[in-house]
Amino acid sequence: MTTPQLPDLARPDAGTTLISEWLVDGPDLQDRAGRALLGEWDEPSARFRPGAFL
């Protein structure tokens, strides 16, 4: 598994950062939740990526 390159949150053109905390029961569910979230964002972000999205 590769580690995604995250944007620099301190860069001057980064206006708003959305961070949410998810509470899950254990490392296995944490991994599954993260993979599910990334899977949901993968396809839409490939075809719809506003300029505001870093």
Side-chain angles (χ1 to χ4, degrees):
M1 183 169 138
T2 62
T3 303
Q5 182 63 30
L6 300 175
D8 178 9
L9 300 179
R11 59 190 275 182
D13 60 343
T16 301
T17 303
L18 173 64
I19 299 172
S20 65
E21 181 178 19
W22 291 21
L23 302 175
V24 295
D25 295 328
D28 180 53
L29 290 178
Q30 180 182 16
D31 182 62
R32 289 172 49 196
R35 289 178 188 275
L37 176 65
L38 291 174
E40 288 296 317
W41 274 98
D42 190 38
E43 192 270 329
S45 69
R47 62 183 164 81
F48 176 73
R49 186 180 298 265
F53 282 18
L54 299 177

